[in-house]
Amino acid sequence: MIKPIFLYGQGVLREQARDIDIKDKEAVAALIQDLKDTLAKADGCGLAAPQIGVSSRVLIVTGEGLEETYPYLKGFKRTMVNPEIIEESSSQCTYSEGCLSIPGVYADVTRPSSIKIRYYDEDLKMVEETLDKFACRMVQHEMDHLDGMVFVDRVAPIRKKLIAKKLQNIMRGKVSTAYKTK
Protein backbone atom coordinates (compact mmCIF):
# COMPACT_ATOMS: atom_id res chain seq x y z
CA MET A 1 0.00 0.00 0.00
CA ILE A 2 1.27 3.48 -0.84
CA LYS A 3 1.97 5.39 2.36
CA PRO A 4 2.66 9.11 2.84
CA ILE A 5 6.31 9.99 3.22
CA PHE A 6 7.12 11.77 6.47
CA LEU A 7 8.89 15.07 5.94
CA TYR A 8 11.74 16.77 7.76
CA GLY A 9 10.63 17.83 11.22
CA GLN A 10 8.51 14.75 11.96
CA GLY A 11 9.57 13.03 15.20
CA VAL A 12 9.76 9.51 13.74
CA LEU A 13 12.68 10.63 11.56
CA ARG A 14 14.69 11.35 14.73
CA GLU A 15 14.01 8.07 16.51
CA GLN A 16 16.44 5.18 16.78
CA ALA A 17 14.47 2.49 14.90
CA ARG A 18 13.99 -0.87 16.61
CA ASP A 19 14.85 -4.26 15.16
CA ILE A 20 11.78 -5.85 13.63
CA ASP A 21 10.77 -9.33 14.82
CA ILE A 22 11.69 -11.56 11.87
CA LYS A 23 9.52 -14.34 13.30
CA ASP A 24 6.49 -12.23 12.37
CA LYS A 25 6.92 -12.93 8.66
CA GLU A 26 3.53 -11.48 7.77
CA ALA A 27 4.30 -8.10 9.37
CA VAL A 28 7.77 -8.00 7.79
CA ALA A 29 6.36 -8.84 4.34
CA ALA A 30 3.62 -6.20 4.68
CA LEU A 31 6.13 -3.49 5.67
CA ILE A 32 8.44 -4.41 2.79
CA GLN A 33 5.53 -4.24 0.34
CA ASP A 34 4.48 -0.83 1.70
CA LEU A 35 8.05 0.42 1.24
CA LYS A 36 8.21 -0.91 -2.33
CA ASP A 37 4.82 0.54 -3.30
CA THR A 38 5.63 3.92 -1.75
CA LEU A 39 9.11 4.12 -3.30
CA ALA A 40 7.77 3.23 -6.75
CA LYS A 41 5.19 6.02 -6.52
CA ALA A 42 7.73 8.54 -5.19
CA ASP A 43 10.34 7.66 -7.82
CA GLY A 44 13.32 7.58 -5.48
CA CYS A 45 16.28 5.22 -5.11
CA GLY A 46 15.80 4.27 -1.45
CA LEU A 47 13.37 4.36 1.42
CA ALA A 48 13.58 3.42 5.09
CA ALA A 49 10.66 2.41 7.31
CA PRO A 50 10.83 5.59 9.47
CA GLN A 51 10.13 7.60 6.33
CA ILE A 52 6.66 6.02 6.19
CA GLY A 53 6.14 6.46 9.92
CA VAL A 54 7.29 3.02 11.09
CA SER A 55 10.18 2.97 13.57
CA SER A 56 11.56 -0.41 12.44
CA ARG A 57 14.95 -1.32 10.98
CA VAL A 58 13.92 -2.08 7.40
CA LEU A 59 15.08 -0.34 4.22
CA ILE A 60 15.03 -0.81 0.48
CA VAL A 61 17.35 0.56 -2.20
CA THR A 62 17.30 0.25 -5.97
CA GLY A 63 19.51 1.27 -8.85
CA GLU A 64 16.52 1.27 -11.19
CA GLY A 65 16.56 4.44 -13.27
CA LEU A 66 20.19 5.21 -12.36
CA GLU A 67 21.83 2.79 -14.82
CA GLU A 68 22.61 5.49 -17.37
CA THR A 69 24.68 7.45 -14.86
CA TYR A 70 25.89 4.42 -12.89
CA PRO A 71 25.93 1.36 -15.23
CA TYR A 72 27.12 -0.90 -12.40
CA LEU A 73 23.73 -0.41 -10.69
CA LYS A 74 21.90 -2.34 -13.40
CA GLY A 75 19.84 -4.95 -11.57
CA PHE A 76 20.88 -3.65 -8.14
CA LYS A 77 17.97 -3.96 -5.67
CA ARG A 78 18.21 -4.74 -1.99
CA THR A 79 15.75 -5.22 0.81
CA MET A 80 17.51 -5.07 4.17
CA VAL A 81 15.87 -6.18 7.39
CA ASN A 82 17.68 -5.37 10.66
CA PRO A 83 20.83 -4.25 8.80
CA GLU A 84 24.06 -3.41 10.55
CA ILE A 85 27.26 -1.99 9.14
CA ILE A 86 30.05 -4.21 10.40
CA GLU A 87 32.97 -2.53 8.65
CA GLU A 88 33.68 0.82 6.98
CA SER A 89 36.58 1.80 4.76
CA SER A 90 38.93 4.50 5.97
CA SER A 91 38.79 6.10 2.51
CA GLN A 92 35.92 8.48 1.97
CA CYS A 93 34.12 10.08 -0.94
CA THR A 94 31.75 13.00 -1.37
CA TYR A 95 28.52 13.04 -3.39
CA SER A 96 25.57 15.36 -3.59
CA GLU A 97 22.60 13.80 -1.80
CA GLY A 98 18.89 14.47 -1.71
CA CYS A 99 16.03 12.80 0.17
CA LEU A 100 12.34 12.13 -0.31
CA SER A 101 11.81 13.40 3.26
CA ILE A 102 13.63 16.66 2.45
CA PRO A 103 12.32 17.54 -1.03
CA GLY A 104 14.19 20.10 -3.09
CA VAL A 105 17.28 20.13 -0.87
CA TYR A 106 20.62 18.75 -2.08
CA ALA A 107 24.03 18.94 -0.44
CA ASP A 108 27.44 17.31 -0.57
CA VAL A 109 27.92 14.60 2.04
CA THR A 110 31.17 12.77 2.79
CA ARG A 111 30.86 9.09 3.70
CA PRO A 112 33.05 5.97 3.72
CA SER A 113 33.78 4.70 0.19
CA SER A 114 32.83 1.13 1.02
CA ILE A 115 31.05 -0.78 3.75
CA LYS A 116 30.54 -4.36 4.81
CA ILE A 117 26.96 -4.92 5.88
CA ARG A 118 25.00 -7.76 7.43
CA TYR A 119 21.23 -8.03 7.11
CA TYR A 120 18.28 -10.32 6.46
CA ASP A 121 17.06 -10.21 2.89
CA GLU A 122 13.45 -10.26 1.74
CA ASP A 123 13.32 -14.04 2.26
CA LEU A 124 14.72 -13.49 5.78
CA LYS A 125 18.00 -15.19 4.95
CA MET A 126 21.15 -13.73 6.50
CA VAL A 127 23.35 -11.90 3.98
CA GLU A 128 26.75 -10.32 4.40
CA GLU A 129 28.20 -8.26 1.58
CA THR A 130 30.58 -5.46 0.75
CA LEU A 131 29.23 -2.47 -1.15
CA ASP A 132 31.03 0.44 -2.77
CA LYS A 133 30.37 3.37 -5.08
CA PHE A 134 26.81 4.68 -5.27
CA ALA A 135 25.27 1.44 -3.95
CA CYS A 136 27.24 2.01 -0.75
CA ARG A 137 26.06 5.62 -0.67
CA MET A 138 22.38 4.68 -0.99
CA VAL A 139 22.58 2.13 1.82
CA GLN A 140 24.44 4.47 4.18
CA HIS A 141 21.89 7.22 3.51
CA GLU A 142 18.99 4.88 4.38
CA MET A 143 20.87 3.47 7.38
CA ASP A 144 21.04 7.01 8.75
CA HIS A 145 17.23 7.07 8.75
CA LEU A 146 17.25 3.94 10.92
CA ASP A 147 19.55 5.73 13.36
CA GLY A 148 17.45 8.91 13.60
CA MET A 149 19.61 10.98 11.26
CA VAL A 150 19.01 12.74 7.96
CA PHE A 151 21.63 13.68 5.40
CA VAL A 152 21.58 17.39 6.31
CA ASP A 153 22.96 16.41 9.72
CA ARG A 154 26.17 15.52 7.90
CA VAL A 155 26.67 18.72 5.88
CA ALA A 156 29.11 21.49 6.68
CA PRO A 157 27.72 24.08 9.13
CA ILE A 158 27.91 26.88 6.55
CA ARG A 159 25.90 24.80 4.08
CA LYS A 160 23.31 24.03 6.76
CA LYS A 161 22.89 27.79 7.33
CA LEU A 162 22.34 28.26 3.60
CA ILE A 163 19.54 25.65 3.51
CA ALA A 164 17.96 26.58 6.87
CA LYS A 165 15.07 28.50 5.28
CA LYS A 166 14.23 25.57 2.98
CA LEU A 167 14.25 23.22 5.97
CA GLN A 168 11.96 25.56 7.92
CA ASN A 169 9.55 25.70 4.97
CA ILE A 170 9.47 21.89 4.79
CA MET A 171 8.67 21.71 8.52
CA ARG A 172 5.82 24.20 7.98
CA GLY A 173 4.43 22.14 5.11
CA LYS A 174 5.38 24.74 2.51
CA VAL A 175 6.63 22.23 -0.03
CA SER A 176 5.30 20.64 -3.17
CA THR A 177 5.91 17.01 -4.12
CA ALA A 178 4.54 14.55 -6.67
CA TYR A 179 3.98 12.04 -3.86
CA LYS A 180 1.86 11.95 -0.69
CA THR A 181 3.53 13.44 2.36
CA LYS A 182 2.83 13.85 6.04
Side-chain angles (χ1 to χ4, degrees):
M1 178 184 300
I2 297 169
K3 301 288 188 176
I5 293 177
F6 282 60
L7 296 178
Y8 183 81
Q10 295 288 325
V12 70
L13 296 178
R14 294 304 188 174
E15 292 174 15
Q16 176 78 30
R18 298 172 308 278
D19 280 351
I20 193 166
D21 182 0
I22 62 168
K23 293 177 193 150
D24 190 349
K25 293 180 181 184
E26 197 172 292
V28 174
L31 178 56
I32 290 169
Q33 192 58 55
D34 288 348
L35 286 166
K36 286 181 175 183
D37 293 346
T38 304
L39 183 61
K41 180 69 174 172
D43 195 30
C45 62
L47 195 63
Q51 291 180 274
I52 61 169
V54 179
S55 190
S56 293
R57 296 189 72 79
V58 180
L59 66 85
I60 60 172
V61 291
T62 180
E64 195 172 284
L66 300 173
E67 303 93 337
E68 194 170 302
T69 305
Y70 306 111
Y72 55 85
L73 289 179
K74 184 176 171 91
F76 180 81
K77 287 184 179 184
R78 297 290 187 277
T79 297
M80 299 183 174
V81 177
N82 297 339
E84 61 176 319
I85 296 173
I86 53 177
E87 204 173 293
E88 296 179 342
S89 67
S90 58
S91 64
Q92 298 194 328
C93 59
T94 303
Y95 284 97
S96 180
E97 292 187 22
C99 182
L100 294 171
S101 291
I102 310 175
V105 175
Y106 301 90
D108 286 346
V109 177
T110 301
R111 297 183 184 273
S113 301
S114 67
I115 59 170
K116 188 173 193 177
I117 189 162
R118 181 183 305 134
Y119 60 93
Y120 292 97
D121 67 10
E122 193 166 349
D123 298 319
L124 301 179
K125 292 184 173 44
M126 180 64 74
V127 175
E128 198 171 284
E129 70 179 318
T130 300
L131 300 171
D132 62 4
K133 301 179 183 173
F134 202 74
C136 173
R137 167 81 34 176
M138 290 188 295
V139 170
Q140 289 178 86
H141 177 104
E142 299 309 328
M143 287 288 293
D144 274 357
H145 283 298
L146 303 182
D147 294 331
M149 292 183 68
V150 291
F151 81 95
V152 295
D153 297 335
R154 296 186 177 275
V155 303
I158 187 71
R159 179 69 177 133
K160 195 152 185 182
K161 281 186 178 189
L162 293 172
I163 60 174
K165 185 171 178 152
K166 286 183 179 183
L167 296 175
Q168 289 172 353
N169 284 337
I170 292 168
M171 290 190 326
R172 292 183 184 126
K174 296 180 182 178
V175 64
S176 177
T177 63
Y179 47 90
K180 291 190 327 185
T181 61
K182 185 163 183 161

